Amino acid sequence: MLRSLVGSEMCIRDSSKGVNNSVSLRISGPPEYQQDVVYGFSVLAQPLLQLKTSLVTDTIAVGSENAIRFEVWPPVPVDLTLGSIVTCGEVSFAATEQLRWETAMDKKIVSVTGTLPTSSTSSCFIRTPILSGAWSSRFVSPPLDVQMWTRARPQILTDVAASTPGTDVRDVGISFTVSLSEGGFWKFNQTASSIEEWIRDGNVQLTSSRDAGTEPKSVMANLNAQMNGEVQVPLIAMSFIATNIMRITIGPQASFYASAREMITLTFTSQATASGVSMEPGKNSFRFEIRGKKESLIDSNVLGSGAASAAIAGGALSMGAATAAGKLQAIMNAFLCPNPDWRDNQNSIDWNEAPIPLSFGSNDDLGTYAAVAFSNSIVMLLCFCLHMVVAVLVYYLRKRKGYSDKSFAAARATVRFPSLLLFPMLFFYQAVVSAAVKVIMYSPVPAFRALGGITFVLIGFGVPGIAYAVVGPASKLAIFVSRDALIAEKLEHRKRSLLAAKSFADANARGEAAQSNPGSNAGSEDDGDGVADELFSDTSSANGSDSEDVMPVETHSFVVQVFLYLFQFEGEWTHPDKYWVMRFGMFFDEFRGGFKWFLMVDLGITFALGIVDGIEPKTKTECYGRLAVTVVLFLIQFLTVLYWRPYINRFLNGFFIFAYFIQFL
């Protein structure tokens, strides 16, 4: 046994550094030898070996499409076979090959691919147990033991608005940031890389819902020209403001015009990131919409202003014309549907809706619509004050002139105070109701919604209520006298005037005869019979073929006859108070007898249109529903005028029948 120890090597498993130590071995012999045997030898202490690796990063993005590649090699030539197994929290991995060295120290490439996506940060371990080999006793177990941290794959974060008006892109441009989530970095950060380079290098893909050929002014068409170097000022530009944040700017550019909705999609590839890893599926792109507008020969605001001006001019003929501008606006809005940027209409609200530019808040809060009723009420109050001032001036003017009636009532009747104020009330009525409905339904501010509700009740129901309270009771005494009755009354008045004139002339003649012939009988029976004959003659003339002696028949040209046929009134309204019709008649004096209430029909239809116009549909189906209700309201309006023909002359009846038929169409 002693011989077997001599000359043999001894290896002590120790993790300390390699050192040479002298070791003495004493062997106690049996008593008969009377001594111990001592042997001396040297022992080499070496540490256990560990595989080397190029895996130096401690944070990596892993997933089903992101392979982790690194190198592994032993520090000395070895004969060894290992197996590579990776565990990473809830995600498991397996090496693509086993690691085997045969008396070599070559570098082996290990590729580890995740079987499941990693959506969160977790701890990851790579361990390689020894399978076989002569050198197995010289390595720690496992020879490769590395801990890493996996993170969620990068995601795109952006602050771009989901929908932007095309006019903003054209006039002022839009700008937004595109960021990578925590731990992600752009490949070309802090450089002046252009969007053209990124598209050519495959870092990003930009697609559009519009074809450049059919939309020559769209984003896609402008980008193609930019890629080809055909523009001096690019439509789309990009820059980096941090290692993980880029800024994209679109516009301004005068050549851009979106005539339809254009959906833009930006998709980023793994080549856009500094680490070259793929992004989270579904989180590597974003899309936004640029809302277009059809080019038209006349701008809608210009058309609305023209309609408002025509309504003011038409007010000279009929109070019904005051609501024409609002009705035309409702027709235009019915076809501009759905309109996702309807809140932006507050930026250019027309004077016929709110003549005083006033706002209580932002467009999103509907601050301008909330102020419409207040601003229009100010206008009505100013009109009232101005009308009163005019009435006072006329009153003092009449007092200084030779008017028989110098009362203030006569002055108010002259300027038609207060019924002339009906025109501005009707002119702004639909706009106020529509704005109030919008605020009630869509404003996120509770105070604005409460203000909209108060406006809706006070104006929507208050205007017709006040009108009835002022005019209603007294209007019961108003009587419509037909044209035939007026003619008969004028004939009777003319007849009485002629009889009185003849009687006066006969009396004078008899007086003169008596003075020239005192002996004659001035009151003879023959004279009485002559007067009776004249009276009978005048009466028969008024009722028979000789009526021209009482009221001569006037002959007119054809043009005048047509004019009279169209514009001649069927009669006129009278009231016991001789000034009442002039003061309050604008509520009903354009209608013939039996229809002094008809303005309430027009007001009711305008009120309903204001409610419908205040609703902003979000889908095509809702748009069709709103359009159907609008058509029904215009149909009712057309049929009521066609059936009753309530206006006081043929022209107004024909005009409104035609106008309401056009609105219905």
Side-chain angles (χ1 to χ4, degrees):
M1 184 185 71
L2 293 177
R3 290 190 183 93
S4 65
L5 292 175
V6 177
S8 65
E9 292 187 10
M10 297 185 62
C11 180
I12 301 176
R13 298 178 63 86
D14 190 2
S15 60
S16 62
K17 294 182 179 180
V19 293
N20 289 317
N21 295 321
S22 297
V23 180
S24 296
L25 181 62
R26 178 182 295 275
I27 301 177
S28 299
E32 58 267 24
Y33 284 93
Q34 299 295 319
Q35 63 180 358
D36 294 335
V37 180
V38 178
Y39 295 91
F41 54 90
S42 178
V43 177
L44 178 62
Q46 294 180 337
L48 295 177
L49 299 177
Q50 190 171 12
L51 293 177
K52 296 182 177 182
T53 177
S54 63
L55 186 62
V56 294
T57 179
D58 58 357
T59 304
I60 57 175
V62 294
S64 58
E65 71 280 8
N66 293 322
I68 305 172
R69 296 176 65 84
F70 57 93
E71 293 179 326
V72 176
W73 66 93
V76 296
V78 297
D79 183 0
L80 196 65
T81 301
L82 305 176
S84 178
I85 299 177
V86 183
T87 58
C88 194
E90 78 280 5
V91 183
S92 60
F93 302 83
T96 57
E97 59 179 294
Q98 290 184 342
L99 304 180
R100 179 180 179 82
W101 290 270
E102 295 180 357
T103 317
M105 52 186 299
D106 301 331
K107 292 183 177 181
K108 303 290 187 180
I109 297 177
V110 177
S111 179
V112 179
T113 303
T115 58
L116 295 173
T118 297
S119 58
S120 61
T121 301
S122 60
S123 178
C124 182
F125 302 93
I126 298 179
R127 293 187 176 91
T128 57
I130 298 174
L131 299 181
S132 62
W135 283 75
S136 59
S137 61
R138 295 289 302 274
F139 284 86
V140 298
S141 183
L144 179 63
D145 191 357
V146 181
Q147 180 178 2
M148 302 176 300
W149 290 93
T150 65
R151 66 166 185 267
R153 287 172 293 183
Q155 302 180 14
I156 293 294
L157 307 174
T158 182
D159 58 0
V160 64
S163 186
T164 303
T167 51
D168 288 357
V169 177
R170 181 191 62 199
D171 299 335
V172 297
I174 61 173
S175 179
F176 53 89
T177 60
V178 183
S179 308
L180 285 175
S181 56
E182 184 178 358
F185 304 97
W186 293 117
K187 183 176 182 180
F188 299 116
N189 54 66
Q190 307 292 357
T191 69
S193 299
S194 64
I195 189 70
E196 302 97 289
E197 294 176 0
W198 269 51
I199 292 176
R200 292 191 185 100
D201 295 342
N203 300 328
V204 64
Q205 298 174 354
L206 189 149
T207 57
S208 169
S209 61
R210 313 302 303 179
D211 181 71
T214 57
E215 294 288 340
K217 297 181 180 181
S218 63
V219 171
M220 202 63 195
N222 279 273
L223 179 61
N224 289 345
Q226 183 175 331
M227 296 287 293
N228 297 330
E230 299 174 358
V231 294
Q232 295 182 348
V233 180
L235 175 68
I236 306 177
M238 62 177 291
S239 60
F240 292 93
I241 58 179
T243 56
N244 67 322
I245 304 176
M246 72 166 63
R247 181 177 298 280
I248 295 180
T249 302
I250 305 179
Q253 190 177 84
S255 62
F256 172 78
Y257 189 92
S259 62
R261 298 173 185 268
E262 185 172 10
M263 186 67 68
I264 306 298
T265 304
L266 287 173
T267 304
F268 293 87
T269 67
S270 60
Q271 300 179 55
T273 63
S275 56
V277 297
S278 299
M279 301 182 189
E280 189 72 19
K283 303 294 184 179
N284 63 333
S285 65
F286 65 92
R287 61 191 311 188
F288 59 95
E289 181 187 60
I290 295 179
R291 300 191 301 274
K293 182 174 67 173
K294 292 293 184 182
E295 292 182 284
S296 58
L297 296 177
I298 302 178
D299 186 78
S300 60
N301 287 337
V302 176
L303 189 59
S305 299
S309 302
I312 294 176
L317 294 175
S318 170
M319 280 289 117
T323 61
K327 292 175 180 177
L328 180 59
Q329 190 67 46
I331 294 173
M332 291 189 296
N333 292 340
F335 289 98
L336 295 176
C337 186
N339 184 15
D341 60 337
W342 61 270
R343 288 180 173 84
D344 296 335
N345 293 340
Q346 298 173 98
N347 296 330
S348 58
I349 194 166
D350 208 0
W351 65 268
N352 59 295
E353 296 180 75
I356 300 177
L358 185 65
S359 178
F360 293 156
S362 65
N363 285 357
D364 291 337
D365 295 338
L366 302 186
T368 302
Y369 284 133
V372 164
F374 182 75
S375 63
N376 289 347
S377 298
I378 293 177
V379 173
M380 295 178 192
L381 181 61
L382 292 175
C383 291
F384 176 84
C385 295
L386 179 61
H387 201 189
M388 177 61 75
V389 169
V390 172
V392 172
L393 292 177
V394 171
Y395 168 66
Y396 283 106
L397 180 64
R398 290 176 64 91
K399 286 184 66 176
R400 295 182 180 182
K401 299 296 182 178
Y403 291 95
S404 58
D405 190 344
K406 302 180 183 297
S407 66
F408 188 49
R412 285 180 292 168
T414 302
V415 297
R416 307 209 72 173
F417 181 89
S419 64
L420 190 60
L421 293 172
L422 179 64
F423 185 86
M425 294 172 65
L426 293 179
F427 188 83
F428 296 115
Y429 184 69
Q430 182 176 323
V432 173
V433 172
S434 177
V437 171
K438 283 182 170 65
V439 173
I440 294 171
M441 296 185 63
Y442 305 111
S443 177
V445 181
F448 287 175
R449 293 199 299 270
L451 179 61
I454 295 172
T455 299
F456 182 80
V457 173
L458 291 182
I459 303 298
F461 296 100
V463 169
I466 293 174
Y468 179 78
V470 172
V471 181
S475 67
K476 295 178 181 179
L477 300 177
I479 299 173
F480 184 81
V481 181
S482 67
R483 183 171 176 272
D484 292 338
L486 288 174
I487 293 175
E489 182 179 352
K490 290 180 180 179
L491 288 173
E492 184 66 23
H493 178 72
R494 177 68 171 167
K495 180 181 68 175
R496 288 196 298 269
S497 299
L498 290 175
L499 290 176
K502 289 182 178 181
S503 297
F504 181 76
D506 292 341
N508 286 338
R510 286 193 295 270
E512 293 175 357
Q515 292 177 1
S516 61
N517 188 8
S520 64
N521 187 4
S524 66
E525 226 177 273
D526 294 339
D527 292 337
D529 293 339
V531 172
D533 292 340
E534 290 179 1
L535 289 174
F536 179 78
S537 175
D538 291 336
T539 304
S540 62
S541 298
N543 297 313
S545 59
D546 297 329
S547 60
E548 63 272 7
D549 294 334
V550 178
M551 181 172 288
V553 177
E554 299 180 3
T555 58
H556 302 290
S557 65
F558 175 76
V559 175
V560 175
Q561 290 180 20
V562 171
F563 179 84
L564 292 176
Y565 178 81
L566 293 176
F567 292 95
Q568 200 167 49
F569 289 174
E570 294 186 17
E572 64 181 35
W573 291 92
T574 61
H575 194 274
D577 182 351
K578 63 179 179 179
Y579 294 128
W580 190 88
V581 173
M582 292 186 66
R583 291 184 57 200
F584 300 102
M586 296 193 76
F587 288 89
F588 59 86
D589 62 1
E590 65 188 69
F591 304 109
R592 58 190 176 90
F595 293 97
K596 60 185 175 184
W597 48 265
F598 195 80
L599 185 64
M600 299 301 295
V601 175
D602 192 21
L603 198 61
I605 291 175
T606 304
F607 177 74
L609 283 173
I611 296 176
V612 174
D613 192 38
I615 300 172
E616 292 294 341
K618 296 180 180 179
T619 64
K620 282 289 186 183
T621 302
E622 294 175 355
C623 288
Y624 291 139
R626 186 179 75 169
L627 181 60
V629 175
T630 303
V631 170
V632 170
L633 290 174
F634 280 118
L635 177 62
I636 294 174
Q637 176 182 249
F638 167 68
L639 292 178
T640 54
V641 176
L642 179 65
Y643 178 74
W644 278 316
R645 294 188 295 280
Y647 292 93
I648 201 167
N649 61 27
R650 294 182 179 90
F651 174 79
L652 287 177
N653 280 314
F655 173 80
F656 282 105
I657 289 173
F658 177 75
Y660 292 160
F661 179 72
I662 295 298
Q663 290 177 357
F664 164 68
L665 291 182

